[in-house]
Amino acid sequence: MPRLFPADTFDVFKIASYRRLWTAAVFFAMGQWLERTIVGWLVLEITGSPFLTGLAWAIRFSPNLILGPVLGVISDRYARHRTLSINALVRAISMLVVAGVFFVDESSVFPLFVLALISGTSTTLQMAVIQPLAIDVVGEDRLSRGVTITSLGQRLVGAGGAISGGLLLATIPHQWIFVIGAFPLVVAAAYFSSINPQVRKTQIRSSFVSDLVEGVLMMKKNKVVLALIGLMAFAEMFGFSYHGFLPVVADELLSIGPEGLGVLVSATAIGGLVGMLLITLYGRYARKGVLLLITVGCLGVWEILLGTSSIFFASLIILVCLGAAGAMIDSLEWILLQGAVPKDMRGRVLGGWNLAIGCGWIGTLLMGLMAEQFGISVTFWVAGLILVLVASLSPTVVKELKELR
């Protein structure tokens, strides 16, 4: 009887350090999804402004633009498992501090913006470090599986974290949600610190600045890397930014409360799980460059449909498709970028990817202003059409994209 997927797909779990890495990634994602869900809703609840809700999302992604290449250098220079452990602890502490502020004053929105900034910086660092660490642990011959299965684990808990956030918002005082969210981050820190990667850092002989310059020049000269980063920037600005407006979709288009918002966010997480699973099982056989372009175009189409729907169940299906497309884009970008550079440059090339992610705040602010003036439906239509156009024109500008595998 033929198998649905290759027998060696999940053989990375035979490696003890990979099991620790995967577990740490899952716990980190629990805290991340919980915090992401509650911050957006609380900003909208306190201010009543779609623009400020989008601004919170933009603040979350601004560190990518400012610090992306710098944090990529940190990934290439220092022990990655220790870096991730410290990163998780800092994020947990920041959530506990915000909880303390909310015990005193629940009406202040400023701590939520600060938390969004800290969390954004934490996520930027994590993305530059965790995927190269996965390859360090599993080896070069399992590059694709190391990358995709790690992300698959993070997305496994996304739906639960989002639904939990919505339920907690509706049932317990807000400050306690931040306390609960800090716990899995502390667990993640412990697991990250216990990892024993196969690849050891060699003695650093160059300066931090020279490493940074080397990474920037590499990305500038490599046409494929530059094209992938540019494509990701457009996808982030006009595609992934829909996440920041889900509280507006819940309120204006669907007229549902925080519990319903949690279900909407969980739908994107379920879709992300489906998309990542497809890449994990079958991605090794695909022409990944062509698949990436098609998926970016589909992201735009689904975004247009989200702006059209006023039916809760239909919106859930659309969000599952959006989540799947987003996960596939992320995974394909990680694989193609890391495969296009030497192994000692992987942290820096993902720093460039983080730079592209940092452009998301531009799209979020533009979409927030448009939503204030014309409504969220028109905003999603415009953003979706831009993505379809970019996906259609990219292979004519950089023909090598179609040949990437």
Side-chain angles (χ1 to χ4, degrees):
M1 182 177 177
R3 297 182 63 91
L4 292 176
F5 53 86
D8 62 350
T9 298
F10 295 101
D11 66 349
V12 292
F13 284 108
K14 295 178 181 178
I15 304 170
S17 280
Y18 184 78
R19 294 195 296 271
R20 297 189 191 104
L21 171 62
W22 192 87
T23 303
V26 166
F27 275 102
F28 189 92
M30 287 181 186
Q32 179 174 275
W33 277 91
L34 183 63
E35 179 264 331
R36 180 183 294 184
T37 302
I38 61 178
V39 167
W41 182 265
L42 289 178
V43 171
L44 183 63
E45 183 179 85
I46 293 170
T47 67
S49 169
F51 173 73
L52 289 178
T53 304
L55 178 62
W57 189 259
I59 290 172
R60 181 184 302 278
F61 284 93
S62 61
N64 296 76
L65 184 63
I66 301 169
L67 299 175
V70 175
L71 298 180
V73 176
I74 290 175
S75 174
D76 284 336
R77 287 176 68 92
Y78 305 113
R80 289 174 173 139
H81 63 298
R82 294 194 188 97
T83 301
L84 288 172
S85 181
I86 294 170
N87 182 50
L89 279 177
V90 170
R91 192 161 186 165
I93 291 170
S94 68
M95 291 188 71
L96 292 174
V97 170
V98 172
V101 172
F102 266 65
F103 273 111
V104 177
D105 181 11
E106 288 190 64
S107 63
S108 175
V109 74
F110 180 73
L112 298 175
F113 288 141
V114 174
L115 180 60
L117 181 62
I118 294 172
S119 297
T121 304
S122 168
T123 300
T124 302
L125 179 60
Q126 188 221 22
M127 292 310 305
V129 179
I130 195 167
Q131 300 299 349
L133 177 59
I135 301 171
D136 290 347
V137 170
V138 304
E140 296 290 327
D141 57 329
R142 299 185 180 99
L143 186 153
S144 293
R145 279 169 284 166
V147 168
T148 56
I149 295 175
T150 302
S151 186
L152 181 64
Q154 293 175 289
R155 292 180 184 277
L156 274 170
V157 301
I163 291 176
S164 298
L167 292 175
L168 290 172
L169 278 168
T171 56
I172 69 173
H174 297 154
Q175 55 267 35
W176 286 107
I177 306 177
F178 294 105
V179 175
I180 293 170
F183 174 74
L185 294 170
V186 173
V187 176
Y191 271 101
F192 278 133
S193 66
S194 70
I195 294 170
N196 182 26
Q198 293 183 19
V199 177
R200 299 291 180 182
K201 294 293 183 183
T202 57
Q203 184 176 359
I204 300 171
R205 300 185 182 276
S206 57
S207 70
F208 192 97
V209 173
S210 66
D211 282 353
L212 177 61
V213 172
E214 183 186 19
V216 172
L217 291 177
M218 175 274 297
M219 288 181 277
K220 182 179 179 181
K221 293 177 181 178
N222 191 320
K223 185 163 65 172
V224 170
V225 168
L226 199 60
L228 288 170
I229 291 174
L231 188 62
M232 192 68 223
F234 273 98
E236 189 65 38
M237 284 189 290
F238 300 106
F240 288 81
S241 291
Y242 80 87
H243 282 283
F245 297 97
L246 287 183
V248 184
V249 171
D251 186 47
E252 293 187 5
L253 296 183
L254 304 176
S255 300
I256 55 178
E259 303 96 328
L261 173 64
V263 176
L264 292 182
V265 177
S266 72
T268 68
I270 292 170
L273 178 60
V274 171
M276 194 59 63
L277 190 61
L278 288 173
I279 294 295
T280 300
L281 298 181
Y282 308 111
R284 71 176 79 178
Y285 302 120
R287 292 179 61 184
K288 296 183 179 68
V290 173
L291 182 59
L292 175 62
L293 293 168
I294 292 172
T295 308
V296 171
C298 289
L299 182 68
V301 172
W302 290 117
E303 189 172 15
I304 291 170
L305 293 176
L306 180 64
T308 304
S309 173
S310 58
I311 302 172
F312 182 69
F313 182 72
S315 296
L316 287 181
I317 296 175
I318 293 168
L319 285 167
V320 169
C321 294
L322 278 165
M328 292 174 70
I329 291 169
D330 281 345
S331 183
L332 290 166
E333 286 268 347
W334 296 331
I335 294 169
L336 292 173
L337 282 170
Q338 293 187 89
V341 300
K343 62 182 180 180
D344 62 342
M345 299 287 287
R346 284 175 178 156
R348 277 166 282 185
V349 80
L350 287 181
W353 180 84
N354 272 320
L355 183 66
I357 299 300
C359 295
W361 70 272
I362 301 172
T364 303
L365 289 182
L366 290 174
M367 290 173 67
L369 290 171
M370 188 176 295
E372 291 272 7
Q373 295 297 318
F374 305 107
I376 198 65
S377 295
V378 173
T379 301
F380 281 162
W381 266 87
V382 173
L385 288 172
I386 290 173
L387 282 185
V388 172
L389 184 63
V390 168
S392 301
L393 294 179
S394 292
T396 64
V397 178
V398 182
K399 296 180 180 179
E400 292 86 346
L401 284 175
K402 295 187 293 184
E403 307 303 323
L404 295 176
R405 294 182 179 275

